[in-house]
Amino acid sequence: MKNFLRKYGLMFFTGIFLLGYMIFGVLESNRVQQERIQYSKEYREQFCKIHTIVDFSTEAEKEAYTNTCVNYNDEYNKVNFYILYESEFYNEHLNIFNGLLFFIVVLPIAFYICSLFKNNYLKHFLTRDTYKNFRKKLWKYVCSNILIFPTVLLIAFSLCAILANSFDVNIAEEIGVITLNNPILYVAVYLFDIICFSITYANIFLIAARKNHNPIIALIVSFLLFAGTELFIETSLTKFVYIIDPSQKIDMFLFSLINPFHFRFELGLVPTILMRLILPTLTSVIVYFCYRNKEKLLLDCEKNK
């Protein structure tokens, strides 16, 4: 039990906290949307009761009256899945994780991984197994933490789908919610996006922890790498992309490290997904080169224990 708590304790409690927060957020967002729908319904009924089309003079006013009172779309009186998630849940509750997701991914793995490097675990492990298997074990542990937020988010999506009784994309787009026209594809792409960010964050920490086996120092260095990379993207890389693409068809938010929930499809679904894969792929290659030399890692573990 002690070993389990040391290895998964912080990860477990992080997951429980996130799950509780997500469930509360979705239920609260559903309550708010229900109230807005009820208020809008009562206002429309009152408006249509006291007005007729002859009260309006311009064609635009008459068309607005017709759309409101004659050709009213009943979908407006339903809890829309996309609006419930993006307009209510994301804007009011999930948006705070734009800046916190890095720490949610990194913190639970920091202390355990650094303890492996400091307490001669690697040296003892190599007496009975291979360095290749050690790296696999390390990556499996990191992956288990990477999946926490996407799993909790999937539960939030499921709850949104249960509470919703409308999946009308047109209604969502009318109020500015940018989405895909298939809810399953929408959820799949969204979770893919979060996983890409989580892999990038974990890789940044692994790069920082390669030489710094004190968890606090490793966290500070990883945050500096994170902030420095974001600063480079927003300054130098943005200017370079603007030079080669003056029309700005390439959305630089696709490369941002602090906007995990900003996912747009102006370039098309496939090009957007391929661009999202650049950062996790690049950082994974760097991690590979950082950890490929067993002897150097052993020497650093000896120095830092």
Side-chain angles (χ1 to χ4, degrees), residues 57 62 68-69 82 94 137 142 168 180 224 258 282 288:
S57 56
K62 290 180 179 180
T68 302
C69 300
Y82 301 105
L94 194 62
K137 184 176 182 179
V142 172
D168 193 316
L180 295 171
L224 291 175
I258 58 174
L282 180 61
Y288 169 77

Side-chain angles (χ1 to χ4, degrees), residues 183-196:
I184 296 176
L185 179 61
Y186 172 82
V187 172
V189 171
Y190 211 99
L191 294 177
F192 159 82
D193 191 39
I194 298 301
I195 291 173
C196 284

Side-chain angles (χ1 to χ4, degrees), residues 21-302:
Y21 183 85
M22 293 288 187
I23 291 175
F24 165 79
V26 172
L27 293 178
E28 178 65 13
S29 298
N30 178 63
R31 182 191 66 80
V32 171
Q33 191 173 359
Q34 292 276 16
E35 288 182 353
R36 287 179 178 175
I37 290 172
Q38 184 61 30
Y39 174 80
S40 177
K41 182 180 178 181
E42 291 174 359
Y43 176 83
R44 186 184 67 83
E45 289 176 350
Q46 185 68 20
F47 175 84
C48 296
K49 187 181 295 184
I50 63 177
H51 289 288
T52 63
I53 197 167
V54 296
D55 295 329
F56 304 98
S57 56
T58 68
E59 289 300 319
E61 290 175 340
K62 290 180 179 180
E63 183 180 356
Y65 173 84
T66 302
N67 291 335
T68 302
C69 300
V70 181
N71 300 326
Y72 185 74
N73 190 342
D74 188 58
E75 289 292 326
Y76 285 107
N77 289 329
K78 298 178 181 179
V79 177
N80 185 283
F81 170 77
Y82 301 105
I83 298 174
L84 175 59
Y85 178 77
E86 287 196 38
S87 183
E88 303 290 354
F89 177 56
Y90 169 70
N91 288 333
E92 298 299 326
H93 301 281
L94 194 62
N95 194 36
I96 65 169
F97 291 106
N98 268 328
L100 293 178
L101 187 58
F102 175 80
F103 296 102
I104 290 172
V105 173
V106 166
L107 273 174
I109 67 176
F111 292 92
Y112 178 71
I113 287 181
C114 286
S115 70
L116 294 184
F117 292 149
K118 290 189 69 173
N119 64 6
N120 280 329
Y121 176 85
L122 177 58
K123 184 177 180 180
H124 296 314
F125 183 90
L126 293 177
T127 61
R128 62 182 186 276
D129 212 329
T130 65
Y131 182 62
K132 181 179 179 180
N133 286 337
F134 169 78
R135 289 193 300 178
K136 286 181 179 179
K137 184 176 182 179
L138 191 69
W139 183 240
K140 284 180 181 178
Y141 176 77
V142 172
C143 283
S144 65
N145 188 71
I146 285 173
L147 293 175
I148 288 178
F149 200 89
T151 301
V152 172
L153 198 57
L154 180 60
I155 294 172
F157 272 123
S158 301
L159 188 55
C160 285
I162 292 170
L163 295 172
N165 46 27
S166 170
F167 294 85
D168 193 316
V169 179
N170 296 322
I171 298 298
E173 290 178 344
E174 281 185 28
I175 69 163
V177 175
I178 301 173
T179 182
L180 295 171
N181 59 9
N182 184 308
I184 296 176
L185 179 61
Y186 172 82
V187 172
V189 171
Y190 211 99
L191 294 177
F192 159 82
D193 191 39
I194 298 301
I195 291 173
C196 284
F197 272 92
S198 299
I199 291 173
T200 303
Y201 296 158
N203 284 340
I204 289 174
F205 176 78
L206 288 174
I207 293 168
R210 172 59 185 82
K211 290 284 187 179
N212 304 281
H213 300 164
N214 181 302
I216 303 300
I217 295 177
L219 283 169
I220 293 172
V221 172
S222 65
F223 177 74
L224 291 175
L225 283 173
F226 166 78
T229 304
E230 178 62 23
L231 185 62
F232 169 77
I233 290 171
E234 291 189 4
T235 55
S236 302
L237 186 60
T238 301
K239 291 180 180 178
F240 173 74
V241 171
Y242 179 74
I243 291 173
I244 63 174
D245 179 33
S247 63
Q248 291 185 305
K249 291 181 179 179
I250 298 177
D251 186 357
M252 288 309 299
F253 276 107
L254 289 172
F255 299 101
S256 175
L257 290 176
I258 58 174
N259 291 282
F261 308 106
H262 181 93
F263 208 79
R264 297 167 62 183
F265 307 96
E266 282 84 350
L267 292 176
L269 181 59
V270 174
T272 300
I273 288 175
L274 291 176
M275 291 179 72
R276 271 299 203 221
L277 285 171
I278 291 175
L279 282 176
T281 302
L282 180 61
T283 53
S284 295
V285 171
I286 296 173
V287 168
Y288 169 77
F289 282 104
C290 285
Y291 286 86
R292 68 173 179 170
N293 193 306
K294 175 181 65 177
E295 286 73 21
K296 287 184 178 180
L297 180 57
L298 278 170
L299 287 174
D300 287 332
C301 289
E302 288 291 328

Side-chain angles (χ1 to χ4, degrees), residues 3-22:
N3 288 334
F4 175 84
L5 289 176
R6 184 173 68 90
K7 187 175 183 180
Y8 297 107
L10 189 54
M11 192 185 300
F12 176 77
F13 288 115
T14 299
I16 293 297
F17 168 76
L18 288 173
L19 180 60
Y21 183 85
M22 293 288 187

